[in-house]
Amino acid sequence: MKSKYLFAAALILTVTFASLNASAAEVNLYSARQAFLMTPLLDAFTQKTGIKVNMVYLKKGMQERLKAEGANSPADLVLTSDIGNLHNLVKAGLLQATQSPALEKNIPSQFRHPQGLWFGLTTRARVIFAHKDRVKPGEVTTYEDLAKPHMKGRVCTRSGKHMYNVSLLAWMIASRGETAAEAWARGLKANLARKPQGNDRAQIKAVYQGECDVAPGNTYYMGKMQTNEKSPVQKKWSAAVNLIFPNQNGRGTHVNISGAGLTKSAKNKAAALKLIEFLSSDAAQKIYAEGNFEYPVKAGVKLHPLVAAWGKFKPDTTDLAKVSEHRAQATRMMDRVRFNTMDGS
Ligand code: FE
């Protein structure tokens, strides 16, 4: 009787410890990156470490949600794309700094926050897509060319207030100063074939259809179009354009990131940091970058063959943390030049 009682007590204790362990070894992730991309990586992480990842996909509204939840937020870690989103989370005080020798080793310094508030995990270049026949070789080799008189009426772009274009302009301000950046923004606007509208892919479609000859866009869209079985017409759009890496004889092409950061409210900090470290490792980097036709942030990791086929390029190496300090200025500049209108002012 007594031993039976002891056995039951031991069993209860074991079960209790097991469940305590299980709850300790978890990470709650808010991800703006889609499940198709993250699931294979998160499964591999769990298999390797025993740490369970609970991912919530948030297409929009991550910042609002974290703010509303405050210190009670279950989120330990966020994953999002574009330096703009990471910068906004920092500005809102929603991330916390962390140190990690592995992350410092794996991620070049221009792609991580100097105090460890965020870490870039994949990169993408904002390039120029140019019609194969209507744009002659050498006609457009720099971002500056897009704003020159010979491109009048030949440029398409999405909204000047979209994060990708604000990042590009912030980078222009960081690298060339406010006056030159504003002259560029005005010149670019003066060359637009139509009012800014649609997403990056819609610009390439417009080039294909003859509405314009060139458009800035992010590299991964090329891969997504080239392989699009759901919407095969996009293969035609992508086949109509060359992918040009701008400013190769100068400072290099503007590169942006997708990245991660620990939330201020993180309760599973050690496990969350392990997940960021895992995502920066060779094995994960390959899967992560390939899944969305991006570039690995870690040097030496093999590229997807399609991505490799676009050619090697020289990236600009300005710290993205420094670039992001010019975001508010860039947004005001877009307003000042009335970028999204076609009023000629
Ligand atoms: Fe995108």
Side-chain angles (χ1 to χ4, degrees), residues 33 81 124 158 162 164 200 218 220-221 224 292:
R33 312 227 73 194
S81 55
R124 63 277 295 280
R158 74 194 305 164
H162 186 271
Y164 299 161
D200 277 5
N218 286 355
Y220 53 88
Y221 289 116
K224 283 171 166 291
N292 196 42

Side-chain angles (χ1 to χ4, degrees), residues 116-230:
L117 285 164
W118 48 257
F119 299 90
L121 291 171
T122 61
T123 72
R124 63 277 295 280
R126 193 142 185 82
V127 294
I128 296 169
F129 294 104
H131 191 270
K132 279 181 176 166
D133 303 324
R134 297 196 304 272
V135 180
K136 302 288 167 252
E139 217 181 349
V140 179
T141 61
T142 63
Y143 299 105
E144 284 77 2
D145 284 340
L146 295 178
K148 288 181 183 162
H150 71 288
M151 296 310 291
K152 182 107 188 146
R154 300 173 67 189
V155 186
C156 280
T157 179
R158 74 194 305 164
S159 165
K161 302 291 280 292
H162 186 271
M163 200 159 265
Y164 299 161
N165 282 339
V166 170
S167 292
L168 181 62
L169 186 57
W171 171 74
M172 216 28 124
I173 296 170
S175 54
R176 299 211 35 219
E178 181 153 16
T179 309
E182 184 157 340
W184 177 75
R186 286 188 194 282
L188 181 61
K189 184 201 163 183
N191 284 347
L192 294 180
R194 60 177 191 177
K195 193 169 142 47
Q197 60 194 270
N199 57 20
D200 277 5
R201 274 186 256 204
Q203 314 314 314
I204 297 157
K205 180 186 179 189
V207 171
Y208 165 77
Q209 289 177 332
E211 284 183 74
C212 44
D213 294 341
V214 295
N218 286 355
T219 39
Y220 53 88
Y221 289 116
M222 188 64 161
K224 283 171 166 291
M225 291 185 300
Q226 286 176 327
T227 58
N228 204 320
E229 299 303 337
K230 265 194 199 159

